[in-house]
Each structure stands twice: as structure tokens, then as C-alpha cells.
């Protein structure tokens, strides 16, 4: 039985997070709004209306193209009409880009958990409008036009991915990048990032492309992974039984974990594309392009590499700290404010700040616990001004009150007790009050010293310096 190589290309639709739609001033994000409340004559295609292009759509598209390392961001590109009939497409055509699109080429390097990186080439990147939504309910078809005219970028990869897991990793990195750039919320469950997968197999060592099938309607990264796995197994079984693979479009049923044949695929010629006569070309002159690209941030993988290099933190830390842009910004600000070992900040962020973010459902940029406050807390712990447990409590206290940590420490006397004069009398008292435990210690079971340390810490509300307590106890118990 031959070995098979899997060949996957992904077609993604990315909903840009502009305030208004692509060709009218209706609100673009109507995820929570009642059906047909964000519509107008333009996006419902009434006769005599004219579309006007939303500038922000072009700007977000250009940012994405640049982040995908496009070979060219075109100074002139065009919209075309893609003609087809569907109840939720009121104009009878979709305005899209076809032959001369916003950008050409590009790639995304996707690091895999196994350690290698897969370069995924971008074959198509263009702007278009979304269609409406058809809801099937009790044998009726209900049409919601809210989504008509919502701006999308369609991005198609080359047949470069080699497994369901690689496809999932590509989507994880793409989602990270879109959020990082601030151009899409990229939530698959809300349809802000949609993915169709083209899947084929071939005998290992072959280079030609066999007939592919297209999997549609998958609404999470885990479902993309599962659907592709099912389809690979189906294709192998067909081929082993001497059958040929037909170019089907398959629908993923999440509940049963199975694929269903929707229709045989239509070809592009069916759409009868022609240039949109109601819109001017997009003229992207150098000044405008340069203004847009001035906002292009350092990308996640570059930033991760720099963190490892510049701050000398482990790759594991750098990966987590660059998962999200505001977390990266937070880390760098805290390191700068701290001035000491960056790894100390990284430790506190990975353990405590991430916990805080999870509990509060916030991003790092929204925290009351500002980076400089975190730096203050870490510094006070490292200088033994406060104990580590006081430090951890302070994180929440600062977050709740917004007060600087030093102010709370001074105001409430939280500073660690590490002076001889206040600890000695307390220890003497505890020794005097617990003759049985003292006897145990003096008979040679010195491990009971931990119990004494615990008593002192309890009496001081955790503020005593534990090392100092231990050495004082050794001295005083031994006497
Ligand atoms: Zn509208």
C-alpha cells in the first residue's frame, strides 16, 4: 500500500473591523443586532443607488498585505462584479476584486510545535463585500441583510499545507496576526474569520496536484482540523478501492463529525465577472501607502525573536508574552520601569498577571495594574521590602483600587518585618507559650522549627521575613 502525502490549501474570509460597511455608512458589525436593522438602499441594492468606497477598508487591507509580505501592493486596483443569484444577495451580484487586486503574492511562515516552520504562500488577496445571511427555520427561509456590504478580505493560500494540524496552526497564526494588526476580531464562531479547506492526496514523492474537494461551513479551528482529518481518511479509502476523487463541495456537520456532499463545484466562468462600472479604481498613491505602512507594527514572530535576544528570556516565555500585542507592550513597559532582570518581570507576568487577565476578562492594556506598578511590586519583593505573598495580594489590591502599590504598603504597614527588635519579643512569647513543642525541638526533632516559623508568620499576618525568623528561632530555641 503506498504512502500518501496530503495537500491542503485554505481559503479564508476575514471580516475587517471597520465602523461602517464597505460601500455605505451602515454599521458593519451587527453580530448582536436584530435582523435587517443595519441596512440602506445601497447595501440592499435598490435601483439607482451608487456605492462609495470606505477608505478604512483599503487601509486595513494594505496593512494585511504588508504583514503577509506581499510582492506588490498595487498603486491601482479595480472592483468587479461577481454575478450569481442567491436569495441573500439582493443585487444579484457581489462586488469583489478579480483580475487586478489590491495586492499580489506574499507568504506567512508558520512555526509548528514540532520545531520546523512551514512557508505558506498567498495566491490571492483581495477586498470584497459580504452577502446576507439565510436562516432556515421551521421549513421557512428567513433573510437577514445586515451582513450585506460588510467588508471582507478574501485570502487564498497555495497548496502548501501537509496535514490537518498544519492547517490548524496556519489559522492560529493568522488569527493572532489579524488581532495584532487590529484589523479584525477574527472570531471564527462569529464568522469574522471563515475558512474553506481544499484537500487532496497524492502518493508520496509525486509533485502533481490531484483533484481536490472543498470543505465549507466550518466554524472553529478545532473543527477545521477534525473535518480535514475525516476527509483525508475518506479520500485514502476511495483511492484504495480504485475509485477516483471527484471535485465535490462538502459540508461539515459539527454535531455528527461527518462530511456531507453539497454540490459539484461550479467554475469561475459561471460568475461572468466584469469591471464594476459604478466604482472608480482604487488609486493608492505613495503618500497614502506610506502613511498606512507607518502604522505597521513589529510582527509577532519578529517580536518573539527579539524578546529572546534582547531580554534573555526562554523561548517559552517569549511565545506566551507575544501571543497578544498589548501583552507584549505591557511586558516591555514593565521591564523598562523595573530596570532589573527581565526574567523577574516575565515570571510575575506568566504566573500572576495572566491569572489576573483571565479572572477579569481584560487585555493587558486595560489593567489598572499599570506596568510601572507591577515593576514596583517586583522590586519591593526582590529587595525584601515585602514578602512574595504580600506582593501577590498587592496585585489584586492595586487592580481593584488603582492606587500605587507603594502607597498601599506604606498606608497599611505591609512592609516586611525584618528588624530584630520587633521579632525577638514575639518569638520569645511563642517559645514561652509552647513548652511541648520546645521540648520536641530540644530532643532532636529540629524539623519542628517549620511549625514555629508558621506561628510567627501567622502572628505577623505574613509580613515577617521568613529567613530572619528561622535564624532567630534557631538561635533562641537552641539556647
Ligand atoms: Zn447600507
Amino acid at each position: 500500500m503506498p504512502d500518501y502525502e496530503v495537500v491542503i490549501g485554505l481559503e479564508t474570509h476575514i471580516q475587517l473591523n471597520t465602523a461602517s460597511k464597505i460601500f455605505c455608512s451602515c454599521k458593519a458589525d451587527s453580530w448582536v443586532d436584530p435582523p435587517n436593522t443595519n441596512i440602506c438602499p445601497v447595501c440592499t441594492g435598490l435601483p439607482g443607488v451608487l456605492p462609495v468606497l470606505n477608505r478604512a477598508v483599503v487601509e486595513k487591507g494594505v496593512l494585511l498585505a504588508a504583514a503577509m509580505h506581499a510582492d506588490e501592493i498595487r498603486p491601482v486596483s479595480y472592483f468587479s462584479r461577481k454575478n450569481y443569484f442567491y436569495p441573500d444577495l439582493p443585487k444579484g451580484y457581489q462586488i469583489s476584486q478579480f483580475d487586478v487586486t489590491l495586492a499580489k503574492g506574499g507568504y506567512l511562515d508558520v512555526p509548528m510545535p514540532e520545531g520546523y516552520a512551514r512557508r505558506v504562500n498567498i495566491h490571492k488577496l483581495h477586498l470584497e463585500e459580504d452577502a446576507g445571511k439565510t436562516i432556515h427555520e421551521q421549513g421557512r427561509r428567513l433573510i437577514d441583510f445586515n451582513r450585506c456590504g460588510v467588508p471582507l478580505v478574501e485570502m487564498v493560500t497555495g497548496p502548501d499545507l501537509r496535514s490537518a494540524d498544519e492547517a490548524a496552526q496556519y489559522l492560529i497564526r493568522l488569527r493572532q496576526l489579524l488581532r495584532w494588526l487590529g484589523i479584525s476580531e477574527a472570531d471564527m464562531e462569529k464568522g469574522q474569520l471563515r475558512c474553506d479547506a481544499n484537500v487532496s492526496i497524492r502518493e508520496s514523492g509525486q509533485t502533481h496536484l490531484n483533484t481536490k474537494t472543498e470543505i465549507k461551513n466550518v466554524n472553529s479551528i478545532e473543527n477545521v482540523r477534525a473535518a480535514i482529518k475525516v476527509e483525508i481518511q475518506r479520500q485514502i479509502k476511495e483511492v484504495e478501492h480504485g475509485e477516483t476523487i471527484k471535485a465535490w463541495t462538502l459540508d461539515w456537520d459539527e454535531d455528527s463529525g461527518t462530511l456531507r456532499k453539497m454540490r459539484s463545484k461550479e467554475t469561475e466562468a459561471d460568475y461572468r465577472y466584469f469591471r464594476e462600472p459604478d466604482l472608480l479604481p482604487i488609486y493608492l498613491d505613495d503618500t497614502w501607502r506610506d502613511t498606512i505602512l507607518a502604522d505597521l507594527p513589529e510582527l509577532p514572530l519578529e517580536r518573539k525573536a527579539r524578546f529572546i535576544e534582547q531580554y534573555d528570556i526562554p523561548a517559552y516565555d517569549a511565545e506566551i508574552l507575544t501571543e497578544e500585542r498589548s501583552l507584549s507592550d505591557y511586558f516591555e513597559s514593565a521591564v523598562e520601569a523595573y530596570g532589573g532582570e527581565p526574567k523577574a518581570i516575565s515570571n510575575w507576568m506568566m504566573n500572576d498577571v495572566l491569572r489576573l487577565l483571565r479572572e477579569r476578562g481584560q487585555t493587558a492594556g486595560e489593567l489598572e495594574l499599570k506596568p510601572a506598578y507591577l515593576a514596583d511590586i517586583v522590586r519591593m519583593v526582590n529587595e525584601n521590602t515585602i514578602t512574595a505573598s504580600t506582593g501577590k495580594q498587592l496585585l489584586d489590591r492595586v487592580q481593584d483600587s488603582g492606587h500605587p502599590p507603594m502607597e498601599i504598603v506604606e498606608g497599611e504597614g505591609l512592609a516586611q518585618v525584618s528588624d530584630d527588635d520587633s521579632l525577638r519579643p514575639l518569638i520569645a512569647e511563642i517559645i514561652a507559650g509552647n513548652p511541648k513543642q520546645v521540648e520536641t525541638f530540644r530532643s532532636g526533632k529540629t524539623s519542628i522549627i517549620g511549625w514555629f516559623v508558621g506561628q510567627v508568620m501567622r502572628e505577623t499576618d505574613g509580613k515577617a521575613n521568613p529567613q530572619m525568623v528561622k535564624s532567630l528561632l534557631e538561635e533562641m530555641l537552641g539556647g
Side-chain angles (χ1 to χ4, degrees):
M1 232 185 257
D3 265 350
Y4 295 98
E5 180 174 58
V6 178
V7 180
I8 302 165
L10 298 180
E11 214 175 293
T12 48
H13 283 88
I14 297 149
Q15 182 180 324
L16 299 175
N17 58 0
T18 52
S20 56
K21 294 184 180 180
I22 184 168
F23 300 123
C24 63
S25 57
C26 293
K27 185 178 157 197
D29 187 11
S30 41
W31 172 250
V32 293
D33 295 324
N36 299 310
T37 51
N38 296 316
I39 56 173
C40 74
V42 174
C43 54
T44 50
L46 298 187
V49 297
L50 286 173
V52 178
L53 178 61
N54 180 348
R55 200 180 166 88
V57 171
V58 179
E59 294 174 346
K60 287 171 193 271
V62 167
L63 273 182
L64 178 58
M68 302 302 289
H69 315 92
D71 300 331
E72 190 194 359
I73 298 173
R74 292 194 173 98
V76 184
S77 62
Y78 299 88
F79 283 104
S80 294
R81 286 190 184 179
K82 181 181 184 179
N83 297 281
Y84 62 99
F85 177 77
Y86 206 73
D88 58 25
L89 188 74
K91 291 201 292 282
Y93 59 87
Q94 181 187 17
I95 303 179
S96 181
Q97 292 191 298
F98 180 54
D99 49 352
V100 186
T101 56
L102 184 69
K104 200 179 111 190
Y107 61 89
L108 185 65
D109 284 329
V110 183
M112 299 297 164
E114 295 80 5
Y116 67 95
R118 175 73 69 197
R119 173 156 296 191
V120 182
N121 292 293
I122 302 304
H123 280 190
K124 239 163 72 173
L125 190 158
H126 69 251
L127 305 174
E128 65 182 27
E129 63 174 346
D130 206 347
K133 207 158 58 180
T134 305
I135 301 149
H136 298 266
E137 201 180 271
Q138 297 168 345
R140 295 182 304 170
R141 275 188 176 194
L142 304 173
I143 314 285
D144 178 6
F145 291 135
N146 278 351
R147 225 174 58 181
C148 285
V150 165
L152 301 177
V153 172
E154 180 176 324
M155 209 162 68
V156 181
T157 75
D160 299 330
L161 295 154
R162 291 291 169 268
S163 69
D165 290 333
E166 287 193 4
Q169 284 303 320
Y170 170 81
L171 289 172
I172 289 169
R173 291 298 175 179
L174 176 62
R175 181 179 62 187
Q176 175 192 33
L177 184 68
L178 294 170
R179 291 175 177 168
W180 187 278
L181 295 170
I183 62 173
S184 172
E185 312 313 325
D187 187 337
M188 280 190 85
E189 285 175 19
K190 291 182 181 169
Q192 293 158 336
L193 175 59
R194 283 167 246 163
C195 175
D196 302 332
N198 293 311
V199 181
S200 65
I201 57 169
R202 62 186 172 203
E203 283 182 26
S204 293
Q206 300 285 347
T207 52
H208 66 277
L209 293 171
N210 283 325
T211 304
K212 64 187 190 239
T213 56
E214 185 177 7
I215 305 170
K216 283 189 168 298
N217 295 330
V218 200
N219 68 355
S220 74
I221 291 175
E222 280 325 302
N223 277 313
V224 170
R225 194 198 307 264
I228 292 174
K229 280 188 176 162
V230 168
E231 176 57 6
I232 291 168
Q233 289 315 311
R234 185 192 71 85
Q235 288 193 14
I236 291 176
K237 218 163 115 190
E238 295 281 317
V239 171
E240 306 260 286
H241 283 79
E243 305 286 338
T244 52
I245 303 298
K246 291 172 199 74
W248 289 345
T249 299
L250 301 162
D251 189 31
W252 173 247
D253 182 34
E254 190 183 326
D255 297 327
S256 61
T258 54
L259 290 161
R260 199 162 39 86
K261 184 186 163 190
M262 286 167 77
R263 56 173 192 259
S264 305
K265 215 175 143 36
E266 63 256 63
T267 60
E268 281 196 335
D270 292 337
Y271 293 123
R272 304 179 330 274
Y273 281 96
F274 62 89
R275 287 275 163 79
E276 168 60 63
D278 290 343
L279 283 164
L280 292 167
I282 302 174
Y283 291 108
L284 181 74
D285 61 24
D286 291 352
T287 320
W288 189 19
R289 193 198 52 220
D290 293 347
T291 314
I292 300 168
L293 294 183
D295 287 337
L296 184 70
E298 185 182 23
L299 301 178
L301 295 179
E302 296 164 7
R303 202 164 188 185
K304 178 185 167 187
R306 180 168 64 78
F307 277 13
I308 297 171
E309 174 75 26
Q310 182 178 344
Y311 300 120
D312 196 24
I313 54 172
Y316 176 80
D317 294 34
E319 174 65 38
I320 291 175
L321 293 171
T322 53
E323 254 168 26
E324 202 245 320
R325 192 168 153 196
S326 75
L327 196 66
S328 300
D329 293 341
Y330 189 102
F331 171 70
E332 292 211 273
S333 303
V335 165
E336 201 189 287
Y338 179 56
E341 280 289 306
K343 178 70 177 132
I345 296 292
S346 169
N347 288 345
W348 278 77
M349 283 189 67
M350 311 249 293
N351 294 322
D352 301 289
V353 177
L354 285 179
R355 170 192 58 80
L356 202 64
L357 291 175
R358 266 196 307 274
E359 286 173 6
R360 312 285 169 126
Q362 286 178 309
T363 66
E366 294 164 344
L367 284 180
E368 283 299 325
L369 176 76
K370 302 294 174 211
Y373 292 165
L374 175 69
D376 287 342
I377 294 172
V378 177
R379 190 180 312 109
M380 285 191 284
V381 171
N382 282 5
E383 288 172 354
N384 286 321
T385 312
I386 55 174
T387 61
S389 77
T390 306
K392 283 178 199 295
Q393 291 162 23
L394 264 179
L395 294 172
D396 289 280
R397 300 284 308 277
V398 173
Q399 175 62 22
D400 290 333
S401 68
H403 293 309
M406 313 254 235
E407 205 178 287
I408 300 175
V409 168
E410 280 165 24
E412 302 185 16
L414 296 180
Q416 178 162 259
V417 181
S418 49
D419 66 304
D420 224 74
D421 294 343
S422 53
L423 286 176
R424 261 179 207 281
L426 178 66
I427 291 172
E429 206 177 294
I430 288 169
I431 287 175
N434 298 283
K436 237 173 99 182
Q437 283 80 357
V438 174
E439 183 59 29
T440 309
F441 180 88
R442 290 189 176 146
S443 72
K445 285 191 181 145
T446 52
S447 61
I448 199 171
I449 197 155
W451 180 85
F452 281 101
V453 173
Q455 298 303 302
V456 179
M457 296 311 283
R458 210 180 62 187
E459 290 295 318
T460 57
D461 291 328
K463 287 185 292 182
N465 177 338
Q467 276 85 41
M468 182 156 216
V469 170
K470 190 156 178 261
S471 67
L472 281 174
L473 274 166
E474 277 162 356
E475 178 199 319
M476 292 163 77
L477 281 168

